[in-house]
Amino acid sequence: MFDNDILVAGADPGFGAIKLDVGDTKVLFPAVISNGSERVFSTLGHTEQEGSDLDKQIASLDVIVRNNSSGVERHFFMGSLAQSLNPKESHYCWDEDKSTDEEAMALLLVGIALAQKYPKVNVYLGTGVPVKYYAALRDKYEAELKGSFSVVFQSGPLKGQSRSMNILRSRILPQSYGVYIRETLTEEGAAINDKLFGGYVVVIDPGFRTTDIATFHDGIMLDPPNSFSMEKGLQWAYSSVAEKLKDMTKEQANPIETDDKELDKIFRVNGGYYPWNNGAINLNPILRNQLILLATDISREVMKTLKPLAGRIHTVLVGGKVGEMLFEHMQLENKILISDPQFGNASGFRVMAANLVNNLTRKVSVEA
């Protein structure tokens, strides 16, 4: 355990959702953001959210985020609240370089604030970037992802409360590496699965916009082409669903035109049923067909790229919420869906950050 004012966090700020793991608390919300504004009508009516106080707060992310060093602060709506109150302006953060994207940074900071048990904490942060961008962005991320920030909640159970955080150190890994760490190491750095440290192991981490593939040999992640990113994920499937939905309603005066943000909410909240006329359109069969195609494409690309190693790969670890959706359709031998796949990377990054803290503590003890 660490001191009360130290927060060891693993963050997976994906294109579709923010995932954060601090050990005893996990935070998850759509990575959707818009500028905040004064709320008048949206505060009326029955808006009570079921679940824990954390669930209720996540459903009501009306926040002010401040950079304490520069003094700059901004008002945002985030997650499902942004989708509901500002559907035209709300958007995902597509920028690959999230370290200098003010909105992407704000989403990450709010995730940390939601996980805090104390008003002020010092943070050791582990996070990742897509395999494709790791070499270019690693040093930049570790330099940029630190500093003093605060978040003030404007609504929800924490209304009026402030959370301050000082990010002391950040460690960056390729996205799929988090899955590998979680499956192989404890927070103290002890091995928990010797098999995965020997021979060839592949980690597949499909996401909202990209799919990351990492190949390990005797515990070492191999360089490209054996580790790579595919520019294809759940968004591709959603785009196909949107096209088919528009085609199904083309005889109407106003055919349905939707986007990935709305479809993401339809499948998360409405169980895949799109409200229409006196009933709803079931989009689940359409999505299932697209997921089969996506899983087939990923499987084909993995085996094509890793063909020289194919016979020696003894384990294929699949992580991520999208990975869970695709798993049964993947045409790969020796595949294993990890437990709690949606938090595979975030939990692995937390283990990495914990190892960083433990190493620093040991170093101080030795020097003393």
Side-chain angles (χ1 to χ4, degrees):
M1 296 295 293
F2 303 104
D3 293 338
N4 290 341
D5 64 342
I6 294 290
L7 187 70
V8 180
D12 182 8
F15 291 116
I18 300 296
K19 285 92 59 180
L20 193 108
D21 183 357
V22 298
D24 57 356
T25 302
K26 291 179 180 177
V27 173
L28 170 69
F29 62 93
V32 179
I33 191 169
S34 73
N35 287 320
S37 60
E38 183 180 0
R39 296 171 64 184
V40 181
F41 305 122
S42 63
T43 61
L44 302 174
H46 180 71
T47 57
E48 185 68 19
Q49 171 80 14
E50 295 183 357
S52 66
D53 281 349
L54 178 60
D55 294 329
K56 293 174 183 177
Q57 189 58 64
I58 286 174
S60 190
L61 291 179
D62 179 349
V63 295
I64 293 175
V65 179
R66 175 184 172 86
N67 183 320
N68 295 329
S69 299
S70 66
V72 174
E73 64 179 33
R74 288 189 60 186
H75 183 193
F76 295 110
F77 296 146
M78 295 182 179
S80 58
L81 189 70
Q83 291 175 311
S84 300
L85 299 189
N86 206 343
K88 282 191 174 181
E89 188 197 317
S90 66
H91 56 278
Y92 292 106
C93 293
W94 290 132
D95 196 339
E96 281 82 10
D97 184 359
K98 292 182 170 64
S99 69
T100 53
D101 183 320
E102 187 179 17
E103 293 180 334
M105 187 68 174
L107 287 163
L108 174 60
L109 294 171
V110 169
I112 295 173
L114 287 165
Q116 289 184 217
K117 297 237 178 346
Y118 304 95
K120 297 181 179 180
V121 294
N122 294 309
V123 181
Y124 286 90
L125 177 68
T127 188
V129 296
V131 171
K132 180 179 179 180
Y133 302 107
Y134 177 70
L137 295 179
R138 177 189 59 188
D139 293 342
K140 193 170 185 292
Y141 259 55
E142 292 189 354
E144 296 286 347
L145 289 183
K146 60 184 179 182
S148 176
F149 307 90
S150 60
V151 172
V152 179
F153 295 97
Q154 301 288 93
S155 63
L158 296 177
K159 182 177 179 179
Q161 295 188 36
S162 175
R163 295 288 185 268
S164 297
M165 64 215 70
N166 184 24
I167 302 177
L168 299 176
R169 292 277 295 273
S170 293
R171 290 292 301 273
I172 314 300
L173 285 177
Q175 289 283 16
S176 43
Y177 211 135
V179 172
Y180 184 76
I181 288 179
R182 202 200 74 175
E183 297 300 299
T184 56
L185 291 176
T186 68
E187 292 184 21
E188 290 72 33
I192 56 176
N193 191 331
D194 290 337
K195 177 184 176 182
L196 297 180
F197 281 112
Y200 288 92
V201 176
V202 174
V203 177
I204 302 177
D205 180 32
F208 192 80
R209 190 182 177 195
T210 61
T211 295
D212 288 309
I213 295 96
T215 302
F216 296 83
H217 181 239
D218 293 346
I220 298 173
M221 183 171 170
L222 302 182
D223 291 326
N226 296 308
S227 298
F228 60 99
S229 296
M230 288 178 61
E231 295 294 327
K232 191 177 256 191
L234 184 60
Q235 187 202 18
W236 175 86
Y238 281 166
S239 296
S240 299
V241 172
E243 290 176 11
K244 293 185 182 300
L245 182 58
K246 183 177 181 180
D247 186 62
M248 290 168 62
T249 58
K250 65 182 179 182
E251 302 302 326
Q252 304 292 327
N254 296 294
I256 298 175
E257 294 196 25
T258 186
D259 59 17
D260 44 22
K261 291 195 310 297
E262 184 180 23
L263 286 174
D264 186 50
K265 189 173 182 180
I266 290 296
F267 285 104
R268 280 189 301 104
V269 180
N270 291 12
Y273 287 83
Y274 194 98
W276 181 247
N277 287 343
N278 294 324
I281 300 174
N282 183 4
L283 299 178
N284 288 296
I286 302 173
L287 180 63
R288 178 179 171 80
N289 288 337
Q290 298 308 312
L291 293 177
I292 292 172
L293 293 175
L294 178 59
T296 301
D297 282 355
I298 292 173
S299 301
R300 184 184 300 119
E301 188 65 27
V302 168
M303 295 318 299
K304 175 185 173 184
T305 304
L306 302 182
K307 188 174 181 180
L309 308 176
R312 289 175 281 173
I313 298 171
H314 63 74
T315 305
V316 176
L317 299 173
V318 179
K321 178 63 177 179
V322 182
E324 184 177 15
M325 297 164 70
L326 299 177
F327 182 76
E328 66 175 304
H329 309 301
M330 287 183 172
Q331 301 160 15
L332 298 166
E333 295 180 348
N334 306 320
K335 63 180 182 178
I336 296 173
L337 180 66
I338 66 170
S339 63
D340 197 7
Q342 188 161 27
F343 281 89
N345 270 319
S347 297
F349 295 149
R350 179 182 61 80
V351 170
M352 175 186 64
N355 274 276
L356 169 64
V357 174
N358 286 325
N359 288 338
L360 289 172
T361 302
R362 282 193 288 268
K363 182 178 180 182
V364 170
S365 299
V366 170
E367 291 177 350

